Amino acid sequence: MSGLRRIAVVGAGLAAVSACDALRAQGYDGELVLYSAERGLPYDRPPLSKDVLLGKARHDDVQLRPEQWYEEQHVGLSEGTRVVAIRPQEGGLELIDGSVVGADRIVLATGGTPRALPVPGGDDPAVHLLRTWEDAERLRERLLPGARVAVVGAGLIGAETAAVARALGCRVTLIDPVPVPLTAVVGDDIAGALHLRHSAEGIDVVTAGVERVERRPGGLGVLLHLNGYGGSLSADTVVVGIGIRPATELAEAAGLAVDNGIVVDAGQRTSHPNVFAVGDVARREGHRVRHEHWEAAQQGGEAAAHGILGRPVPEPGAPWFWSDRHGSRLESVGTMADAERTVLRGSPDSGAFTVFGLRGDRVVAAASINRARDIKAARRVVDRRVVVDPLHLADESTDLRALLRR
């Protein structure tokens, strides 16, 4: 229907599958092939640091789509196939076996690679990263009751992994040079409550950087430093959760514009008109950051389908994400760094409260712990740019949905 005969999607995460799904839903009837460097059906990554590590989820439980979906939607899945180059000028891809396949449009969904610990000993076999199913399987074998686990990085992945390791009976130390991580993302109150919870659950929290990792009799030594002071701790396993690097190698080699990710427009089109980029690897032009979250990946895939087919792209709304740890759920919408002031709804001592970020008389962000209904309403308030009275936000007797009708 579009005149496009073949679309190739490089990558197999949520953004890639969402792009395929949206293309078919919008009537694209040409050939559609998804190239995955991994074996097996594409799977969801957020459960890796939660239910997969806990042993509650098998590979079948985290598949993004069942096997029959690929057949029904006529999506070719090329498993274990690494793309080594894209050739947009020639309309093709080069595969690791040297073969070249044609493509009228290319969607790069290459995601990111976890940042390794950049210190001596950071490549020790007992130092683990967590990005793939295989990573989770290897790490799960190490999270035994009584095992000494040092987690470096107290962001979302690090904090979730530390919570799981503690739930499995490990002796956990969580290391980060920032005294209260995530403050810029969710605000002081939420970040503080989240970080204090680690200690309450029996995790040793250390504010420091890592200088090196060394082999010692019976395990590893993790040497720490902060402001000239040093120390060390012993561990059986080290888990590194210090973020990802966008996998831009294919884009750079093809001469695409890259700046903290592959630069794209609202329809996910790159600097080459026949190449699109989605998911963690993409950064929308005019935005400061890449949004490395589940919903952003899903929406990016859908936007790419609109862009490829030349249709208006829906406005995605404010960014939203969640994180589970210690039996509690964090949710956040909008960008708290854009707020001029905050309003608290509920008490941090209760374990369930919300913080709203305001700029002028409008809510630009909100974050909560165990207050899903607050965030559901806040998303609509942020997206509709509703003028609010801060007193109504703070008053727990106020139905937040009523603010949308004012």
Side-chain angles (χ1 to χ4, degrees):
M1 60 170 289
S2 60
L4 302 176
R5 294 172 297 175
R6 192 171 194 273
I7 298 174
V9 182
V10 183
L14 175 64
V17 173
S18 296
C20 293
D21 203 356
L23 282 164
R24 290 301 191 218
Q26 294 179 49
Y28 172 68
D29 56 6
E31 190 176 356
L32 184 55
V33 182
L34 191 155
Y35 292 91
S36 173
E38 297 185 60
R39 292 285 181 182
L41 295 178
Y43 57 89
D44 210 9
R45 296 190 190 277
L48 297 180
S49 57
K50 297 180 273 291
D51 282 353
V52 173
L53 283 186
L54 284 168
K56 294 181 178 180
R58 302 166 301 171
H59 201 286
D60 290 351
D61 299 321
V62 298
Q63 290 173 359
L64 288 166
R65 300 289 189 278
E67 186 172 6
Q68 62 268 26
W69 179 86
Y70 298 90
E71 298 175 4
E72 293 168 355
Q73 297 299 318
H74 303 289
V75 175
L77 177 58
S78 186
E79 300 176 34
T81 304
R82 188 174 296 278
V83 175
V84 297
I86 62 170
R87 301 179 179 178
Q89 300 286 44
E90 304 167 29
L93 308 170
E94 181 180 345
L95 308 182
I96 195 167
D97 63 3
S99 62
V100 177
V101 295
D104 298 309
R105 298 290 184 271
I106 299 168
V107 181
L108 294 176
T110 47
T113 55
R115 295 178 184 271
L117 193 59
V119 301
D123 58 352
D124 189 281
V127 177
H128 292 254
L129 303 173
L130 183 56
R131 182 68 174 175
T132 67
W133 176 266
E134 288 74 18
D135 292 338
E137 286 279 273
R138 286 193 294 268
L139 179 56
R140 186 156 62 90
E141 294 175 356
R142 308 277 299 181
L143 301 183
L144 303 175
R148 300 166 299 174
V149 179
V151 180
V152 182
L156 299 182
I157 297 297
E160 289 173 358
T161 303
V164 166
R166 183 62 189 140
L168 291 172
C170 300
R171 295 154 56 190
V172 183
T173 303
L174 183 59
I175 306 162
D176 198 293
V178 178
V180 184
L182 296 180
T183 295
V185 180
V186 296
D188 294 336
D189 294 294
I190 294 285
L194 290 171
H195 207 50
L196 286 173
R197 184 70 183 275
H198 293 307
S199 298
E201 295 292 336
I203 294 174
D204 292 330
V205 178
V206 178
T207 302
V210 175
E211 188 171 279
R212 69 180 184 273
V213 178
E214 59 185 25
R215 277 281 163 179
R216 293 178 178 175
L220 299 176
V222 181
L223 280 74
L224 309 174
H225 68 88
L226 184 71
N227 298 331
Y229 295 94
S232 68
L233 57 90
S234 298
D236 301 303
T237 299
V238 175
V239 184
V240 180
I242 55 176
I244 66 169
R245 300 181 188 277
T248 59
E249 293 84 359
L250 292 176
E252 292 180 56
L256 304 184
V258 172
D259 179 10
N260 183 30
I262 305 171
V263 181
V264 298
D265 64 13
Q268 307 297 131
R269 191 185 301 269
T270 71
S271 56
H272 192 288
N274 295 337
V275 182
F276 295 73
V278 296
D280 292 350
V281 75
R283 180 181 68 81
R284 186 168 168 182
E285 190 173 16
H287 290 228
R288 300 191 304 271
V289 299
R290 291 173 295 107
H291 294 295
E292 302 169 0
H293 304 302
W294 193 92
E295 187 179 68
Q298 182 186 51
Q299 292 177 342
E302 294 171 353
H306 283 79
I308 290 169
L309 299 176
R311 296 175 180 169
V313 179
E315 179 59 44
W320 167 80
F321 72 88
W322 82 94
S323 175
D324 295 324
R325 62 183 79 175
H326 304 302
S328 295
R329 167 158 289 205
L330 160 70
E331 288 189 74
S332 177
V333 62
T335 305
M336 197 65 75
D338 291 339
E340 299 169 330
R341 58 189 175 123
T342 59
V343 174
L344 185 65
R345 182 181 177 89
S347 169
D349 295 335
S350 70
F353 68 104
T354 300
V355 173
F356 295 93
L358 280 76
R359 189 172 188 85
D361 54 6
R362 289 182 170 86
V363 177
V364 295
S368 76
I369 298 176
N370 296 332
R371 288 279 188 106
R373 292 179 64 182
D374 284 3
I375 294 298
K376 184 177 180 179
R379 295 185 74 179
R380 296 164 68 189
V381 170
V382 172
D383 287 343
R384 297 183 188 182
R385 305 187 77 248
V386 177
V387 174
V388 298
D389 183 338
L391 295 177
H392 291 146
L393 294 175
D395 184 357
E396 293 192 82
S397 67
T398 299
D399 185 345
L400 294 177
R401 295 172 299 179
L403 300 179
L404 296 164
R405 300 190 293 268
R406 294 178 184 275

